[in-house]
Amino acid sequence: MPAQGALLKLEGSPVAEALYAELHAQLAGLTFVPRLHVVRLGEDPASVSYVRLKDRQAKKLGLQSEVTVLPESTSQGELLALIHQLNADQNVDGILVQFPVPKHISPKTVLEAIRPDKDVDGLHPINVGRLWSGEECLESCTPAGVMRLLNHYGFSVAGKEVVIVGRSNLVGKPLAALMLRSDATVTLAHSKTPDLVAVTRRADILVAAAGRAGLIKSSMVRPGAVVVDVGVNRVGEKLVGDVDPGVAHVAGALSPVPGGVGPMTVAMLLSNTVKAAIRRRDASAMV
Ligand code: NAD
């Protein structure tokens, strides 16, 4: 753990750039260009900006990237028909449907419709099951990004007390699986945890993924702990995390919002796209 008093800022951009450099080298050794296809429904401003970022970053890396924008009124059947078409398209390596989807569409049905070997978000039950079984799979992007962020800054989780606040299928649960695989002792806390302070204060590594601005106060953090803030909350015009700014005076390391986990999520998505493309194609496609 870092020395108390000197806060280390866990910036995501340099870590993402290092990963892009690795992917760039990997792409140079391929005879094909992996292709990502993102589907967005409606005009939710956050989704518009996330999809734009993913598309722009994919192209910058040198991948093929396509975005299909469908109206909010698109029926589940129409969306599923598009997914089936993308599943069957030999030129498409990665499929991502940007969440949240409109209320009349079942997220579960959408996730289950995507071919597991093109599921670059790592959310298909097959990938989730493989993750928990410790098998090779496409890993959920944000949790994988958190692991890479910690690793880059030299923090091993093996034997450490890790507390994750938030138990969603998107972040908390898959992150717990990755932490366990790396030999951490993991606690998943959530909205029904009675004494959250007592639990979070145990943590050598504390991950906040609740989506509640300022939930994690300095009194909840063990001095010198490593704190990763996954939360993204809009407060007025500002984006803030789940961690109160006062935590910076107590923690040994802290990831900023924005600029911490966010860039890692996009980088892991593109890493998954390259991985999916290589695994799905014939080994002879490698030079
Ligand atoms: P979610 O709403 O699905 O789950 C939130 C979890 O937090 C739940 O398990 C709930 O029990 C727990 N929780 C809520 N209030 C709590 C409280 N007061 N005390 C303890 N636990 C509480 O959210 P999600 O999809 O997992 O996302 C969590 C946050 O992470 C959101 O802010 C989201 O925007 C952000 N996020 C960021 C990225 C990124 O790339 N940076 C990616 C995904 C999600």
Side-chain angles (χ1 to χ4, degrees):
M1 292 299 107
Q4 202 181 328
L7 179 75
L8 174 64
K9 214 170 165 191
L10 305 175
E11 300 271 8
S13 293
V15 190
E17 286 307 324
L19 177 55
Y20 288 136
E22 279 174 33
L23 293 174
H24 211 265
Q26 215 177 350
L27 290 171
L30 301 179
T31 56
F32 61 92
V33 181
R35 184 183 196 92
L36 173 66
H37 199 116
V38 179
V39 181
R40 168 164 70 75
L41 291 95
E43 299 300 324
D44 168 60
S47 294
V48 170
S49 108
Y50 287 142
V51 168
R52 191 188 302 128
L53 192 65
K54 288 166 185 175
D55 180 51
R56 195 183 293 159
Q57 202 62 54
K59 286 179 175 139
K60 192 171 163 204
L61 178 64
L63 303 183
Q64 300 182 75
S65 173
E66 200 170 322
V67 179
T68 299
V69 179
L70 299 174
E72 172 123 24
S73 58
T74 303
S75 71
Q76 180 164 298
E78 286 166 326
L79 176 60
L80 293 179
L82 173 62
I83 292 173
H84 293 146
Q85 188 190 319
L86 296 172
N87 280 344
D89 188 337
Q90 282 307 312
N91 295 315
V92 172
D93 298 295
I95 304 168
L96 182 150
V97 177
Q98 182 67 41
F99 277 19
V101 286
K103 287 200 168 44
H104 62 277
I105 293 177
S106 152
K108 180 174 178 288
T109 305
V110 171
L111 289 178
E112 289 178 0
I114 297 172
R115 263 174 67 150
D117 59 352
K118 296 189 180 188
D119 166 40
V120 283
D121 239 353
L123 297 174
H124 189 285
I126 294 265
N127 282 317
V128 175
R130 286 186 181 145
L131 179 67
W132 280 101
S133 310
E135 290 170 36
E136 181 61 23
C137 63
L138 290 169
E139 295 169 2
S140 180
C141 301
T142 302
V146 171
M147 298 307 286
R148 191 152 177 130
L149 188 73
L150 289 170
N151 187 50
H152 178 94
Y153 286 100
F155 297 115
S156 163
V157 305
K160 297 288 187 322
E161 282 272 355
V162 173
V163 175
I164 303 166
V165 182
R167 57 170 163 186
S168 71
N169 290 335
L170 182 65
V171 186
K173 284 190 221 164
L175 182 57
L178 289 174
M179 290 284 185
L180 265 183
R181 199 169 74 180
S182 295
D183 301 324
T185 302
V186 187
T187 304
L188 269 181
H190 47 79
S191 52
K192 300 281 191 297
T193 300
D195 188 355
L196 190 60
V197 182
V199 176
T200 58
R201 277 193 72 89
R202 287 208 308 260
D204 298 312
I205 298 172
L206 176 61
V207 182
R212 299 283 180 274
L215 173 70
I216 306 298
K217 307 270 188 268
S218 53
S219 59
M220 300 168 77
V221 177
R222 177 199 280 193
V226 175
V227 181
V228 179
D229 193 352
V230 178
V232 179
N233 309 289
R234 187 166 284 282
V235 176
E237 288 299 295
K238 271 181 74 182
L239 283 186
V240 301
D242 288 355
V243 174
D244 187 85
V247 169
H249 302 298
V250 180
L254 175 61
S255 68
V257 177
V261 174
M264 295 309 303
T265 298
V266 180
M268 296 315 303
L269 168 71
L270 303 187
S271 173
N272 272 352
T273 304
V274 174
K275 185 173 167 182
I278 292 172
R279 272 151 119 240
R280 203 173 51 83
R281 293 173 196 241
D282 181 352
S284 65
M286 317 274 290
V287 287

